[in-house]
C-alpha cells in the first residue's frame, strides 16, 4: 500500500469509519455498496436525494482532500450535483467541485468562497467527467492558492486573499452557510477518501494505483541517502541489523545494564 503522509482522515469506504481518529465521520443516508469499487470490495453510494457524509477535522489552512468518484446520474438540467464541499462562510458554499448544471455537460465546476466579502472565485475544468467511470478528484491548498485536479491533471487554480479555514468536508452535497443546499446532491459512488494536512500537488501528478495505508515508514540510510524503507506487515520494523551492527533503531537495555 502507498503511505498517506500527514494524514488526518482515511476512509477506505469498506465501512463508514476513518482509520485516523482525528476525523469525526457523520453519515447522513449514504450506504456501503458492493456494486462498484475502485479498491477493496466496497464503496459509498449516494442516491442524489439528500445523502451525504460529513467529515469533521482539526482546523486546516493547508490541505489535500482526494477521493475516487463514479457518477451515475443521467439528469440533464436544473441541479448542481456536488461531489465535495467544505466548511462554508456564505450561502454559496466554501470550497467545492460540482458537475456543470447547464444541461449537465459533465464539465467540473471548481469554486472557492472567501472568508470575507471578497466573493466567489473559480471556473470550469476543460475535461469532461464521464459517467459510469472512476475518476480521481483532488483539491489542494497552499497558502492562498487552491489547486483543483481531475485524474491527475490540473483543472483550475484559484488564488484568494481571504480563503476559508477548513474544519469539515461534506462528501455528496453542497454546504451552505449553516446547512446543506437542496438540489445539489451527488448521485453515484465514492471510494478511498483521504485528507492530508499539507498541499500534496501543485501540478500534474500520477494518480494513486492502490489504496493508502497509515503505517509509518522506517528508513535505512547510507550516509545521507535513504536506501530502503522497511515494513513488516502493517507494522514498522523497530531495529535493523547488518551482522551484529545496529543500522536502524535503538538498543534496549535492562536495569542492570545488560542488553
Amino acid at each position: 500500500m502507498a503511505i498517506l503522509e500527514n494524514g488526518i482522515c482515511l476512509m477506505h469506504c469498506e465501512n463508514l469509519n476513518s482509520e485516523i481518529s482525528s476525523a469525526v465521520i457523520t453519515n447522513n443516508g449514504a450506504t456501503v455498496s458492493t456494486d462498484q469499487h475502485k479498491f477493496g470490495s466496497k464503496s459509498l453510494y449516494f442516491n442524489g436525494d439528500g445523502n451525504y457524509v460529513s467529515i469533521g477535522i482539526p482546523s486546516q489552512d493547508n490541505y489535500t482532500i482526494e477521493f475516487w468518484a463514479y457518477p451515475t446520474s443521467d439528469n440533464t438540467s436544473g441541479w448542481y450535483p456536488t461531489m465535495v464541499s467544505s466548511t462554508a462562510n456564505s450561502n454559496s458554499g466554501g470550497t467545492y467541485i460540482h458537475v456543470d448544471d447547464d444541461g449537465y455537460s459533465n464539465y467540473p465546476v471548481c469554486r472557492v468562497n472567501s472568508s470575507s466579502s471578497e466573493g466567489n472565485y473559480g471556473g470550469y475544468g476543460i475535461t469532461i467527467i464521464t459517467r459510469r467511470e472512476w475518476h480521481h478528484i483532488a483539491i489542494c491548498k497552499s497558502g492562498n492558492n487552491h489547486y483543483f485536479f481531475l485524474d491527475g491533471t490540473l483543472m483550475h487554480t484559484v488564488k484568494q486573499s481571504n480563503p476559508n479555514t477548513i474544519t469539515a468536508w461534506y462528501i455528496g452535497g453542497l454546504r451552505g452557510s449553516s446547512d446543506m443546499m437542496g438540489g445539489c446532491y451527488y448521485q453515484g459512488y465514492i471510494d478511498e477518501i483521504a485528507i492530508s494536512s499539507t498541499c500534496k500537488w501543485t501540478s500534474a501528478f500520477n494518480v494513486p494505483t492502490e489504496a493508502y495505508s497509515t503505517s509509518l515508514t522506517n528508513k535505512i540510510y547510507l550516509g545521507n541517502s535513504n536506501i530502503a524503507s522497511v515494513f513488516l506487515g502493517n507494522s514498522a520494523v523497530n531495529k535493523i541489523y547488518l551482522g551484529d551492527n545496529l543500522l536502524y533503531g535503538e538498543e534496549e537495555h535492562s536495569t542492570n545494564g545488560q542488553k
Side-chain angles (χ1 to χ4, degrees):
M1 286 186 171
I3 300 300
L4 179 64
E5 297 182 356
N6 303 302
I8 52 179
C9 177
L10 177 59
M11 296 180 67
H12 294 307
C13 300
E14 302 292 297
N15 50 47
L16 284 153
N17 300 324
S18 170
E19 291 195 7
I20 303 174
S21 61
S22 57
V24 178
I25 311 299
T26 303
N27 183 30
N28 295 272
T31 58
V32 177
S33 173
T34 58
D35 292 343
Q36 293 290 338
H37 53 85
K38 180 61 182 182
F39 303 122
S41 60
K42 301 173 184 176
S43 66
L44 300 185
Y45 176 69
F46 301 82
N47 68 8
D49 188 23
N51 296 169
Y52 67 97
V53 171
S54 65
I55 305 173
I57 58 172
S59 178
Q60 299 294 315
D61 290 317
N62 297 328
Y63 58 78
T64 296
I65 179 168
E66 56 180 304
F67 55 89
W68 290 86
Y70 185 103
T72 59
S73 176
D74 290 315
N75 199 319
T76 57
S77 64
W79 71 322
Y80 302 77
T82 304
M83 292 174 284
V84 61
S85 62
S86 76
T87 313
N89 291 91
S90 72
N91 193 50
S92 298
T95 301
Y96 58 96
I97 294 179
H98 68 74
V99 180
D100 185 10
D101 56 294
D102 185 11
Y104 203 80
S105 67
N106 288 0
Y107 287 102
V109 181
C110 311
R111 295 288 184 191
V112 178
N113 277 284
S114 70
S115 59
S116 67
S117 59
E118 188 175 319
N120 185 311
Y121 288 82
Y124 291 80
I126 61 174
T127 302
I128 288 176
I129 299 178
T130 51
R131 284 167 283 184
R132 297 179 181 84
E133 291 184 12
W134 283 106
H135 297 277
H136 186 266
I137 308 293
I139 305 174
C140 304
K141 178 177 176 288
S142 176
N144 292 344
N145 295 313
H146 303 74
Y147 305 90
F148 296 82
F149 294 91
L150 171 64
D151 295 328
T153 298
L154 182 62
M155 293 189 291
H156 208 77
T157 301
V158 179
K159 184 173 184 177
Q160 286 190 295
S161 60
N162 293 291
N164 286 327
T165 296
I166 305 301
T167 58
W169 287 98
Y170 302 85
I171 306 298
L174 179 58
R175 181 73 174 181
S177 57
S178 60
D179 205 347
M180 306 304 290
M181 298 180 68
C184 300
Y185 293 103
Y186 167 79
Q187 184 174 340
Y189 301 87
I190 297 286
D191 202 0
E192 193 67 8
I193 304 166
I195 305 175
S196 307
S197 60
T198 57
C199 179
K200 293 176 65 173
W201 303 294
T202 60
S203 59
F205 61 92
N206 294 324
V207 301
T209 58
E210 57 185 352
Y212 282 116
S213 169
T214 57
S215 298
L216 296 177
T217 306
N218 277 334
K219 298 177 181 179
I220 307 172
Y221 287 86
L222 181 61
N224 292 323
S225 301
N226 175 23
I227 60 173
S229 299
V230 181
F231 295 90
L232 182 60
N234 290 325
S235 301
V237 177
N238 293 322
K239 293 183 286 293
I240 301 169
Y241 288 87
L242 178 60
D244 293 328
N245 297 315
L246 179 66
L247 296 182
Y248 182 89
E250 296 181 359
E251 293 284 14
E252 296 178 3
H253 298 274
S254 65
T255 56
N256 63 7
Q258 297 296 315
K259 185 169 68 173

